[in-house]
Each structure stands twice: as C-alpha cells, then as structure tokens.
Amino acid sequence: MTELTLDPIEIDDRGPRHSVGDLLDVIDDIVVELTEAKRVPLGSGVIVDRDHLLELLERLRDELPDEMRAARWMVREREAFMARTNERAREIIDKAKNESRRMVSDSHIIAEAVEEANILVRRAEGDARRIRLEAEDDLERGLERIDLVLGDVRERIGATRDELHKARPKEPAPPI
C-alpha cells in the first residue's frame, strides 16, 4: 500500500495557544484531513499523513492543559485571595477588640466601643462573604467555559467518528 501525500496544514511555532477558537481550528484541521483523505482501493480505510495527523493531535493535547492550568491557577488565586481577606478580617477584629479594651473608663464608652467592634466584625464578615462568593462565581464561570470547550471537542470527535464509520463500504454478499 502506498502512502498518499496530502498538502500539510501550516502549523505555526508561536507556542501554545490559549483560546477556544484556536483549539477548534486544530480540531477542524483534523476533521478536514480525515474527510479529504483518499480511500484505499478495494478497502474500507483511508490514506492519511500519519505524522501530520499525530502532530495535530499532539498540538491539541499540548494546548488543552493550558486551559486546565488556568482553572487551577484561578482556584489557587481564589484561595490566596480568601486567605488575605480572612487575615484582613482577623486584623480588623483584633483591632476592634484592642480598641474596645483600651476604652475601659466609662460604661457608656465601653458600650459604644463594643457596638462599634460588633459593627466592624459584621461588616468584615459581610465583606469576606461577598468577596468569597464573587471569587467562587469567577471560578465557576471559568470552569464552565472549560467544560463547554471539552464538550464541544467530544461532540466533534463523535461526529468525526460517525462520518468515518459512514464512509465504510458495506460487506460484500457471500458468493452463492
């Protein structure tokens, strides 16, 4: 069996891409290569440039982890942000407690200090909760985008497989 040489699809060496569109372009390149491949005479297979197809698949594999690294980075950033926020809240609480202890002379002043400390604590807790929910929402949106990309990739692979199986010729009838 001879190998048919297809015109290679240009692959730039600018490094890994990070957009969904670029990943879909690589998938489209693979689909085009498979759909335009010449059929094997008297067989059900097709002739493709194996090295080129492997190169495209490796490129796709190399680019997908960037999206996953971005999600892991978002999680770590969220955790660091939450730690900084919690530390700031503890500092505010400690400051409020120290300030209230310092004001021990008069019961009226002490009552005001306790009230102010409680307000600061409630405000800090509310801010910390709001910041945490915003960070979780940002992370959820990032993970949802990644999930959509992976779902689209799975759909395109399934469609390509279906097309590949449809292209197979039917089994010849047994001789009588």
Side-chain angles (χ1 to χ4, degrees):
M1 170 159 58
T2 62
E3 180 176 340
L4 176 65
T5 305
L6 299 175
D7 292 334
I9 299 169
E10 291 297 318
I11 297 177
D12 58 345
D13 293 300
R14 292 180 291 181
R17 298 182 196 170
H18 300 285
S19 75
V20 174
D22 293 331
L23 295 174
L24 294 177
D25 287 344
V26 174
I27 293 170
D28 289 341
D29 291 346
I30 294 169
V31 170
V32 166
E33 181 141 347
L34 288 174
T35 56
E36 292 179 356
K38 300 279 186 189
R39 292 177 131 336
V40 174
L42 303 174
S44 63
V46 293
I47 299 173
V48 294
D49 183 349
R50 181 176 185 263
D51 292 335
H52 184 253
L53 195 56
L54 285 172
E55 186 177 321
L56 288 172
L57 289 170
E58 286 172 5
R59 178 174 159 201
L60 180 62
R61 182 186 60 209
D62 290 344
E63 289 181 13
L64 283 177
D66 289 338
E67 299 284 72
M68 291 178 190
R69 274 192 292 259
R72 284 194 305 260
W73 177 83
M74 288 174 67
V75 169
R76 278 191 237 116
E77 281 298 308
R78 187 198 82 169
E79 289 172 353
F81 184 73
M82 292 302 301
R84 287 191 307 268
T85 303
N86 288 338
E87 181 60 32
R88 179 118 168 33
R90 277 192 291 277
E91 288 172 4
I92 292 170
I93 291 169
D94 290 344
K95 182 179 177 182
K97 286 178 182 178
N98 291 335
E99 192 68 25
S100 67
R101 287 186 195 120
R102 197 173 55 81
M103 304 171 128
V104 278
S105 63
D106 187 85
S107 65
H108 184 268
I109 294 173
I110 291 173
E112 287 178 9
V114 168
E115 181 62 28
E116 183 66 24
N118 287 335
I119 289 170
L120 288 172
V121 167
R122 284 193 298 276
R123 189 179 304 147
E125 288 171 347
D127 288 347
R129 177 173 163 60
R130 178 186 53 81
I131 291 168
R132 178 175 185 211
L133 292 174
E134 288 172 357
E136 288 176 358
D137 288 344
D138 288 345
L139 178 62
E140 180 62 31
R141 282 190 294 271
L143 293 173
E144 187 175 329
R145 283 192 302 267
I146 290 170
D147 193 35
L148 288 173
V149 168
L150 293 176
D152 193 37
V153 167
R154 282 190 291 270
E155 285 178 23
R156 286 179 182 259
I157 289 172
T160 302
R161 282 183 171 160
D162 290 344
E163 287 179 28
L164 187 63
H165 292 291
K166 286 179 186 176
R168 289 185 179 165
K170 294 182 179 178
E171 289 286 329
I176 298 179

